[in-house]
Short mmCIF file of all heavy atoms in Angstrom, two decimals:
data_model
loop_
_atom_site.label_atom_id
_atom_site.label_comp_id
_atom_site.label_asym_id
_atom_site.label_seq_id
_atom_site.Cartn_x
_atom_site.Cartn_y
_atom_site.Cartn_z
N MET A 1 -6.29 -3.67 -23.51
CA MET A 1 -5.15 -4.32 -24.12
C MET A 1 -4.43 -5.15 -23.07
O MET A 1 -4.14 -4.70 -21.98
CB MET A 1 -4.23 -3.26 -24.71
CG MET A 1 -3.11 -3.83 -25.51
SD MET A 1 -2.21 -2.48 -26.31
CE MET A 1 -1.46 -3.38 -27.61
N VAL A 2 -4.13 -6.38 -23.39
CA VAL A 2 -3.56 -7.33 -22.43
C VAL A 2 -2.06 -7.13 -22.23
O VAL A 2 -1.56 -7.30 -21.13
CB VAL A 2 -3.84 -8.78 -22.90
CG1 VAL A 2 -3.19 -9.78 -21.98
CG2 VAL A 2 -5.34 -9.03 -22.98
N LEU A 3 -1.34 -6.72 -23.24
CA LEU A 3 0.12 -6.63 -23.16
C LEU A 3 0.63 -5.76 -22.02
O LEU A 3 1.53 -6.18 -21.28
CB LEU A 3 0.70 -6.17 -24.50
CG LEU A 3 2.21 -6.22 -24.62
CD1 LEU A 3 2.74 -7.62 -24.35
CD2 LEU A 3 2.65 -5.75 -25.98
N PRO A 4 0.10 -4.55 -21.78
CA PRO A 4 0.61 -3.75 -20.65
C PRO A 4 0.40 -4.43 -19.30
O PRO A 4 1.24 -4.32 -18.42
CB PRO A 4 -0.19 -2.45 -20.74
CG PRO A 4 -0.59 -2.35 -22.16
CD PRO A 4 -0.81 -3.77 -22.60
N ARG A 5 -0.70 -5.15 -19.14
CA ARG A 5 -0.94 -5.85 -17.87
C ARG A 5 0.05 -6.97 -17.67
O ARG A 5 0.53 -7.20 -16.56
CB ARG A 5 -2.37 -6.37 -17.81
CG ARG A 5 -3.36 -5.26 -17.56
CD ARG A 5 -4.74 -5.80 -17.38
NE ARG A 5 -5.49 -5.35 -18.54
CZ ARG A 5 -6.66 -5.81 -18.89
NH1 ARG A 5 -7.24 -6.74 -18.20
NH2 ARG A 5 -7.29 -5.34 -19.94
N VAL A 6 0.36 -7.68 -18.74
CA VAL A 6 1.33 -8.77 -18.65
C VAL A 6 2.71 -8.19 -18.32
O VAL A 6 3.43 -8.72 -17.47
CB VAL A 6 1.37 -9.59 -19.96
CG1 VAL A 6 2.51 -10.60 -19.93
CG2 VAL A 6 0.04 -10.29 -20.18
N ALA A 7 3.08 -7.11 -18.98
CA ALA A 7 4.37 -6.48 -18.71
C ALA A 7 4.44 -5.99 -17.26
O ALA A 7 5.47 -6.15 -16.60
CB ALA A 7 4.59 -5.32 -19.68
N GLY A 8 3.36 -5.42 -16.77
CA GLY A 8 3.32 -4.97 -15.38
C GLY A 8 3.48 -6.13 -14.41
O GLY A 8 4.17 -6.02 -13.39
N ALA A 9 2.85 -7.25 -14.72
CA ALA A 9 2.96 -8.43 -13.87
C ALA A 9 4.39 -8.96 -13.86
O ALA A 9 4.90 -9.39 -12.81
CB ALA A 9 2.00 -9.52 -14.35
N VAL A 10 5.05 -8.93 -15.01
CA VAL A 10 6.44 -9.39 -15.09
C VAL A 10 7.35 -8.47 -14.27
O VAL A 10 8.21 -8.93 -13.52
CB VAL A 10 6.91 -9.48 -16.56
CG1 VAL A 10 8.40 -9.72 -16.64
CG2 VAL A 10 6.14 -10.56 -17.30
N VAL A 11 7.14 -7.16 -14.38
CA VAL A 11 7.94 -6.21 -13.60
C VAL A 11 7.70 -6.43 -12.11
O VAL A 11 8.65 -6.44 -11.31
CB VAL A 11 7.62 -4.76 -14.01
CG1 VAL A 11 8.23 -3.76 -13.04
CG2 VAL A 11 8.09 -4.49 -15.42
N LEU A 12 6.45 -6.58 -11.71
CA LEU A 12 6.12 -6.81 -10.30
C LEU A 12 6.76 -8.10 -9.80
O LEU A 12 7.37 -8.13 -8.73
CB LEU A 12 4.61 -6.85 -10.10
CG LEU A 12 4.14 -7.13 -8.67
CD1 LEU A 12 4.63 -6.04 -7.72
CD2 LEU A 12 2.63 -7.24 -8.64
N HIS A 13 6.65 -9.16 -10.56
CA HIS A 13 7.24 -10.45 -10.16
C HIS A 13 8.76 -10.32 -10.02
O HIS A 13 9.35 -10.82 -9.06
CB HIS A 13 6.89 -11.53 -11.18
CG HIS A 13 7.46 -12.86 -10.83
ND1 HIS A 13 8.66 -13.30 -11.33
CD2 HIS A 13 7.01 -13.84 -10.01
CE1 HIS A 13 8.93 -14.49 -10.84
NE2 HIS A 13 7.93 -14.85 -10.03
N THR A 14 9.40 -9.65 -10.96
CA THR A 14 10.85 -9.48 -10.91
C THR A 14 11.26 -8.66 -9.70
O THR A 14 12.22 -9.01 -9.00
CB THR A 14 11.35 -8.81 -12.21
OG1 THR A 14 10.93 -9.59 -13.32
CG2 THR A 14 12.85 -8.67 -12.21
N ALA A 15 10.54 -7.59 -9.41
CA ALA A 15 10.85 -6.75 -8.25
C ALA A 15 10.65 -7.53 -6.95
O ALA A 15 11.49 -7.45 -6.04
CB ALA A 15 9.99 -5.50 -8.26
N MET A 16 9.57 -8.27 -6.86
CA MET A 16 9.31 -9.05 -5.65
C MET A 16 10.38 -10.11 -5.45
O MET A 16 10.81 -10.36 -4.31
CB MET A 16 7.92 -9.67 -5.70
CG MET A 16 6.81 -8.67 -5.53
SD MET A 16 5.16 -9.42 -5.63
CE MET A 16 5.14 -10.37 -4.12
N THR A 17 10.82 -10.74 -6.53
CA THR A 17 11.86 -11.75 -6.43
C THR A 17 13.18 -11.11 -6.00
O THR A 17 13.87 -11.62 -5.11
CB THR A 17 12.04 -12.47 -7.78
OG1 THR A 17 10.79 -13.07 -8.15
CG2 THR A 17 13.10 -13.54 -7.70
N ALA A 18 13.53 -9.98 -6.60
CA ALA A 18 14.79 -9.30 -6.27
C ALA A 18 14.81 -8.82 -4.82
O ALA A 18 15.85 -8.84 -4.16
CB ALA A 18 15.02 -8.13 -7.22
N LEU A 19 13.65 -8.38 -4.33
CA LEU A 19 13.55 -7.87 -2.95
C LEU A 19 13.18 -8.95 -1.94
O LEU A 19 12.99 -8.66 -0.76
CB LEU A 19 12.52 -6.74 -2.89
CG LEU A 19 12.87 -5.51 -3.73
CD1 LEU A 19 11.70 -4.54 -3.77
CD2 LEU A 19 14.11 -4.83 -3.19
N GLN A 20 13.03 -10.18 -2.42
CA GLN A 20 12.67 -11.33 -1.59
C GLN A 20 11.37 -11.09 -0.82
O GLN A 20 11.27 -11.31 0.37
CB GLN A 20 13.80 -11.69 -0.63
CG GLN A 20 15.07 -12.08 -1.36
CD GLN A 20 16.21 -12.39 -0.41
OE1 GLN A 20 16.14 -12.13 0.79
NE2 GLN A 20 17.27 -12.94 -0.96
N VAL A 21 10.37 -10.57 -1.54
CA VAL A 21 9.04 -10.34 -0.97
C VAL A 21 8.14 -11.49 -1.38
O VAL A 21 8.01 -11.79 -2.56
CB VAL A 21 8.47 -8.99 -1.49
CG1 VAL A 21 7.05 -8.80 -1.01
CG2 VAL A 21 9.35 -7.85 -1.05
N ASN A 22 7.54 -12.15 -0.38
CA ASN A 22 6.68 -13.30 -0.67
C ASN A 22 5.21 -12.94 -0.78
O ASN A 22 4.44 -13.65 -1.41
CB ASN A 22 6.86 -14.37 0.41
CG ASN A 22 8.26 -14.94 0.41
OD1 ASN A 22 8.88 -15.08 -0.64
ND2 ASN A 22 8.77 -15.25 1.58
N GLU A 23 4.82 -11.86 -0.12
CA GLU A 23 3.41 -11.47 -0.10
C GLU A 23 3.29 -10.00 -0.44
O GLU A 23 4.18 -9.20 -0.18
CB GLU A 23 2.79 -11.71 1.27
CG GLU A 23 2.71 -13.15 1.66
CD GLU A 23 2.06 -13.34 3.02
OE1 GLU A 23 1.57 -12.34 3.60
OE2 GLU A 23 2.05 -14.47 3.50
N LEU A 24 2.14 -9.65 -0.98
CA LEU A 24 1.86 -8.27 -1.32
C LEU A 24 0.43 -7.97 -0.93
O LEU A 24 -0.49 -8.71 -1.27
CB LEU A 24 2.05 -8.06 -2.83
CG LEU A 24 1.85 -6.66 -3.36
CD1 LEU A 24 2.97 -5.76 -2.84
CD2 LEU A 24 1.87 -6.67 -4.87
N GLU A 25 0.24 -6.91 -0.17
CA GLU A 25 -1.11 -6.51 0.24
C GLU A 25 -1.61 -5.45 -0.72
O GLU A 25 -0.98 -4.41 -0.90
CB GLU A 25 -1.08 -5.95 1.66
CG GLU A 25 -2.45 -5.59 2.17
CD GLU A 25 -2.41 -5.12 3.61
OE1 GLU A 25 -1.45 -5.41 4.33
OE2 GLU A 25 -3.36 -4.42 4.00
N VAL A 26 -2.74 -5.72 -1.33
CA VAL A 26 -3.32 -4.80 -2.30
C VAL A 26 -4.38 -3.97 -1.59
O VAL A 26 -5.21 -4.48 -0.85
CB VAL A 26 -3.95 -5.56 -3.48
CG1 VAL A 26 -4.59 -4.61 -4.47
CG2 VAL A 26 -2.89 -6.41 -4.16
N SER A 27 -4.33 -2.68 -1.82
CA SER A 27 -5.26 -1.76 -1.17
C SER A 27 -6.05 -0.98 -2.23
O SER A 27 -5.48 -0.61 -3.26
CB SER A 27 -4.48 -0.78 -0.29
OG SER A 27 -5.34 0.22 0.20
N PRO A 28 -7.31 -0.71 -1.96
CA PRO A 28 -8.08 0.09 -2.91
C PRO A 28 -7.73 1.57 -2.85
O PRO A 28 -8.16 2.35 -3.67
CB PRO A 28 -9.52 -0.14 -2.47
CG PRO A 28 -9.43 -0.43 -1.02
CD PRO A 28 -8.13 -1.17 -0.84
N TRP A 29 -6.93 1.96 -1.85
CA TRP A 29 -6.57 3.36 -1.68
C TRP A 29 -5.36 3.72 -2.52
O TRP A 29 -4.49 2.92 -2.76
CB TRP A 29 -6.26 3.65 -0.21
CG TRP A 29 -7.42 3.39 0.68
CD1 TRP A 29 -7.63 2.28 1.43
CD2 TRP A 29 -8.55 4.23 0.88
NE1 TRP A 29 -8.82 2.38 2.11
CE2 TRP A 29 -9.40 3.57 1.78
CE3 TRP A 29 -8.92 5.47 0.40
CZ2 TRP A 29 -10.59 4.11 2.20
CZ3 TRP A 29 -10.10 6.01 0.83
CH2 TRP A 29 -10.93 5.34 1.72
N ALA A 30 -5.28 4.98 -2.90
CA ALA A 30 -4.11 5.50 -3.60
C ALA A 30 -3.00 5.71 -2.57
O ALA A 30 -3.23 5.67 -1.36
CB ALA A 30 -4.44 6.82 -4.28
N LEU A 31 -1.78 5.93 -3.02
CA LEU A 31 -0.64 6.07 -2.13
C LEU A 31 -0.84 7.21 -1.14
O LEU A 31 -0.62 7.05 0.07
CB LEU A 31 0.63 6.30 -2.95
CG LEU A 31 1.91 6.50 -2.16
CD1 LEU A 31 2.20 5.27 -1.31
CD2 LEU A 31 3.06 6.79 -3.09
N ARG A 32 -1.30 8.35 -1.62
CA ARG A 32 -1.48 9.52 -0.74
C ARG A 32 -2.49 9.22 0.36
O ARG A 32 -2.25 9.50 1.53
CB ARG A 32 -1.92 10.71 -1.57
CG ARG A 32 -2.16 11.96 -0.77
CD ARG A 32 -2.58 13.13 -1.65
NE ARG A 32 -3.63 12.74 -2.56
CZ ARG A 32 -3.77 13.24 -3.78
NH1 ARG A 32 -2.93 14.13 -4.25
NH2 ARG A 32 -4.75 12.85 -4.56
N GLU A 33 -3.62 8.63 0.00
CA GLU A 33 -4.64 8.33 0.99
C GLU A 33 -4.16 7.25 1.95
O GLU A 33 -4.45 7.28 3.14
CB GLU A 33 -5.94 7.88 0.31
CG GLU A 33 -6.70 9.01 -0.35
CD GLU A 33 -6.16 9.39 -1.72
OE1 GLU A 33 -5.23 8.73 -2.21
OE2 GLU A 33 -6.68 10.37 -2.30
N GLY A 34 -3.41 6.29 1.45
CA GLY A 34 -2.87 5.23 2.30
C GLY A 34 -1.91 5.77 3.34
O GLY A 34 -1.95 5.38 4.51
N VAL A 35 -1.04 6.70 2.93
CA VAL A 35 -0.10 7.31 3.87
C VAL A 35 -0.87 8.11 4.91
O VAL A 35 -0.57 8.04 6.12
CB VAL A 35 0.91 8.21 3.12
CG1 VAL A 35 1.72 9.05 4.09
CG2 VAL A 35 1.82 7.36 2.26
N LEU A 36 -1.87 8.85 4.49
CA LEU A 36 -2.67 9.64 5.42
C LEU A 36 -3.41 8.75 6.41
O LEU A 36 -3.41 9.01 7.63
CB LEU A 36 -3.67 10.52 4.66
CG LEU A 36 -4.55 11.42 5.50
CD1 LEU A 36 -3.71 12.41 6.30
CD2 LEU A 36 -5.53 12.17 4.61
N LEU A 37 -4.02 7.68 5.93
CA LEU A 37 -4.73 6.77 6.83
C LEU A 37 -3.78 6.10 7.81
O LEU A 37 -4.10 5.93 8.99
CB LEU A 37 -5.49 5.71 6.02
CG LEU A 37 -6.71 6.23 5.27
CD1 LEU A 37 -7.27 5.14 4.36
CD2 LEU A 37 -7.77 6.71 6.23
N ARG A 38 -2.60 5.72 7.35
CA ARG A 38 -1.60 5.10 8.23
C ARG A 38 -1.18 6.09 9.31
O ARG A 38 -1.02 5.74 10.47
CB ARG A 38 -0.43 4.67 7.36
CG ARG A 38 0.62 3.78 7.91
CD ARG A 38 0.24 2.38 8.25
NE ARG A 38 -0.20 1.50 7.22
CZ ARG A 38 0.46 0.44 6.81
NH1 ARG A 38 1.65 0.18 7.28
NH2 ARG A 38 -0.07 -0.38 5.94
N TYR A 39 -1.02 7.37 8.94
CA TYR A 39 -0.64 8.41 9.91
C TYR A 39 -1.74 8.60 10.95
O TYR A 39 -1.47 8.69 12.14
CB TYR A 39 -0.35 9.72 9.18
CG TYR A 39 -0.12 10.88 10.12
CD1 TYR A 39 1.05 10.97 10.86
CD2 TYR A 39 -1.08 11.87 10.26
CE1 TYR A 39 1.26 12.03 11.72
CE2 TYR A 39 -0.88 12.93 11.12
CZ TYR A 39 0.29 13.01 11.85
OH TYR A 39 0.48 14.05 12.71
N ILE A 40 -2.98 8.67 10.49
CA ILE A 40 -4.11 8.86 11.41
C ILE A 40 -4.21 7.70 12.39
O ILE A 40 -4.45 7.88 13.58
CB ILE A 40 -5.42 9.05 10.63
CG1 ILE A 40 -5.39 10.40 9.90
CG2 ILE A 40 -6.63 8.95 11.55
CD1 ILE A 40 -6.54 10.60 8.94
N GLU A 41 -3.98 6.47 11.90
CA GLU A 41 -4.02 5.31 12.78
C GLU A 41 -2.93 5.36 13.84
O GLU A 41 -3.10 4.84 14.94
CB GLU A 41 -3.87 4.02 11.96
CG GLU A 41 -5.08 3.66 11.16
CD GLU A 41 -4.84 2.43 10.28
OE1 GLU A 41 -3.68 1.96 10.21
OE2 GLU A 41 -5.81 1.95 9.69
N SER A 42 -1.80 5.99 13.51
CA SER A 42 -0.68 6.03 14.45
C SER A 42 -0.86 7.07 15.55
O SER A 42 -0.15 7.04 16.54
CB SER A 42 0.62 6.31 13.69
OG SER A 42 0.67 7.66 13.27
N LEU A 43 -1.80 8.00 15.36
CA LEU A 43 -2.02 9.03 16.37
C LEU A 43 -2.67 8.44 17.60
O LEU A 43 -3.47 7.51 17.53
CB LEU A 43 -2.93 10.13 15.81
CG LEU A 43 -2.36 10.96 14.66
CD1 LEU A 43 -3.41 11.93 14.15
CD2 LEU A 43 -1.11 11.70 15.08
N SER A 44 -2.34 9.00 18.72
CA SER A 44 -2.96 8.57 19.97
C SER A 44 -4.13 9.51 20.25
O SER A 44 -3.94 10.68 20.55
CB SER A 44 -1.94 8.65 21.11
OG SER A 44 -2.56 8.34 22.32
N TRP A 45 -5.32 9.00 20.13
CA TRP A 45 -6.51 9.83 20.32
C TRP A 45 -6.91 9.77 21.79
O TRP A 45 -7.49 8.81 22.26
CB TRP A 45 -7.65 9.33 19.44
CG TRP A 45 -7.37 9.50 18.00
CD1 TRP A 45 -6.91 8.55 17.16
CD2 TRP A 45 -7.51 10.69 17.23
NE1 TRP A 45 -6.75 9.08 15.90
CE2 TRP A 45 -7.11 10.39 15.91
CE3 TRP A 45 -7.91 11.99 17.51
CZ2 TRP A 45 -7.12 11.33 14.90
CZ3 TRP A 45 -7.93 12.91 16.50
CH2 TRP A 45 -7.53 12.59 15.21
N ASN A 46 -6.60 10.81 22.52
CA ASN A 46 -6.96 10.90 23.93
C ASN A 46 -8.11 11.88 24.09
O ASN A 46 -8.07 12.99 23.58
CB ASN A 46 -5.78 11.37 24.78
CG ASN A 46 -4.63 10.38 24.76
OD1 ASN A 46 -4.86 9.18 24.75
ND2 ASN A 46 -3.42 10.87 24.73
N ALA A 47 -9.11 11.45 24.84
CA ALA A 47 -10.25 12.33 25.11
C ALA A 47 -9.80 13.43 26.06
O ALA A 47 -9.02 13.19 26.98
CB ALA A 47 -11.39 11.54 25.73
N PRO A 48 -10.24 14.65 25.82
CA PRO A 48 -9.86 15.74 26.72
C PRO A 48 -10.44 15.51 28.11
O PRO A 48 -11.57 15.07 28.27
CB PRO A 48 -10.47 16.99 26.06
CG PRO A 48 -11.50 16.49 25.11
CD PRO A 48 -11.11 15.08 24.74
N GLY A 49 -9.61 15.77 29.13
CA GLY A 49 -10.06 15.59 30.51
C GLY A 49 -11.00 16.73 30.92
O GLY A 49 -10.64 17.89 30.85
N VAL A 50 -12.20 16.35 31.28
CA VAL A 50 -13.19 17.37 31.66
C VAL A 50 -13.46 17.25 33.14
O VAL A 50 -13.52 16.26 33.72
CB VAL A 50 -14.50 17.21 30.86
CG1 VAL A 50 -15.52 18.22 31.30
CG2 VAL A 50 -14.21 17.32 29.40
#
């Protein structure tokens, strides 16, 4: 059904305009996985000193 997609696009456009957001990065990951991946990237991976 096309109507829900159009309504979603209108809501997204309105929110982006209100928040003055010009670009949006789309990710194939869900929110939970995205937060986890962002956290893992922020970790400092140091090799153990042998």
Side-chain angles (χ1 to χ4, degrees):
M1 187 174 202
V2 176
L3 188 57
R5 285 185 248 167
V6 173
V10 171
V11 169
L12 178 61
H13 180 266
T14 303
M16 288 179 69
T17 301
L19 297 172
Q20 299 178 349
V21 175
N22 295 325
E23 294 181 6
L24 182 68
E25 183 177 340
V26 179
S27 172
W29 299 99
L31 179 60
R32 179 179 48 214
E33 286 81 4
V35 169
L36 181 61
L37 288 173
R38 192 67 63 113
Y39 173 72
I40 291 171
E41 287 176 353
S42 73
L43 295 176
S44 175
W45 294 98
N46 296 323
V50 178

